[in-house]
């Protein structure tokens, strides 16, 4: 239970750092170094506590210089058509030149967004499968539930 509270506080802190970096850059575009510091701190906390961030948040950071990628301010965004009919979005960091390429397919969904990635749905599907007779082994009975144990208890 203490681990859950610790994670909640860490995610709140990460959320604050992300919002602070975004606000600092949008209010004054010259505060790039302060925003980079916030992003670097966020990356350090995530790595130290072994937490997973949402892909939409991770896509907004440059892996090389830890800057927040805002199109038109700290990044350039281009659409490219590569490998036949596939379209890609290329985001290039203005500060260090690092580029990221993302598939631009409307039918594509991230693993995090799929139903089978949710633990609650996985556990409910397993329970349904077990109730339908999909369970191959029976659970071990406790000694108090057997008739012989009941007779000896009286």
């Amino acid at each position: 239970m203490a681990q859950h509270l610790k994670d909640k506080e860490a995610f709140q802190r990460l959320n604050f750092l992300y919002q602070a970096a975004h606000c600092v850059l949008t209010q004054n575009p010259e505060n790039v170094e302060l925003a980079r510091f916030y992003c670097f701190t966020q990356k350090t906390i995530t790595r130290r506590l072994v937490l997973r961030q949402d892909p939409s948040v991770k896509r907004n950071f440059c892996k090389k210089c830890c800057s927040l990628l805002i199109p038109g301010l700290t990044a350039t965004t281009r659409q490219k058509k590569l490998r036949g009919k596939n379209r890609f979005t290329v985001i290039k960091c203005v500060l260090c030149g690092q580029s990221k390429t993302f598939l631009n397919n409307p039918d594509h969904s991230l693993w995090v967004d799929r139903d089978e990635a949710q633990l609650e749905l996985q556990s409910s599907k397993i329970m349904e499968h077990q109730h339908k007779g999909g369970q191959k082994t029976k659970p071990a009975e406790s000694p108090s539930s057997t008739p012989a144990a009941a007779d000896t208890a009286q």
Side-chain angles (χ1 to χ4, degrees):
M1 185 69 176
Q3 180 68 23
H4 178 66
L5 292 175
K6 182 180 172 185
D7 289 349
K8 182 178 178 183
E9 291 174 2
F11 278 116
Q12 288 175 346
R13 186 173 178 195
L14 293 172
N15 185 20
F16 173 78
L17 288 169
Y18 178 75
Q19 290 180 9
H22 208 283
C23 286
V24 162
L25 270 181
T26 54
Q27 287 179 358
N28 187 0
E30 295 176 1
N31 287 334
V32 175
E33 291 301 319
L34 182 60
R36 284 179 63 191
F37 173 74
Y38 290 152
C39 294
F40 180 76
T41 306
Q42 184 178 357
K43 184 178 178 180
T44 304
I45 292 169
T46 305
R47 193 178 328 129
R48 189 172 293 157
L49 295 177
V50 191
L51 298 173
R52 291 180 185 250
Q53 289 186 313
D54 193 62
S56 62
V57 174
K58 290 192 325 186
R59 287 181 174 188
N60 289 328
F61 294 122
C62 177
K63 287 184 177 182
K64 190 173 180 183
C65 68
C66 292
S67 65
L68 187 63
L69 299 174
I70 299 176
L73 194 60
T74 58
T76 58
T77 305
R78 301 283 186 254
Q79 299 292 324
K80 289 195 176 184
K81 189 174 181 180
L82 302 172
R83 299 184 196 113
K85 62 181 180 178
N86 291 335
R87 292 181 179 261
F88 293 91
T89 301
V90 179
I91 301 174
K92 186 174 182 180
C93 180
V94 173
L95 301 173
C96 66
Q98 181 77 17
S99 64
K100 292 182 170 189
T101 305
F102 299 109
L103 181 64
N104 206 4
N105 184 0
D107 297 331
H108 179 72
S109 65
L110 297 172
W111 170 253
V112 174
D113 297 334
R114 294 184 190 167
D115 290 339
E116 54 268 8
Q118 306 300 323
L119 289 176
E120 296 86 22
L121 295 175
Q122 285 181 358
S123 60
S124 65
K125 286 181 181 179
I126 291 171
M127 293 299 287
E128 288 175 9
H129 183 66
Q130 288 177 351
H131 288 299
K132 289 181 182 177
Q135 185 178 11
K136 294 181 180 177
T137 59
K138 292 184 179 179
E141 294 181 356
S142 62
S144 62
S145 65
T146 59
D151 292 338
T152 58
Q154 294 175 355

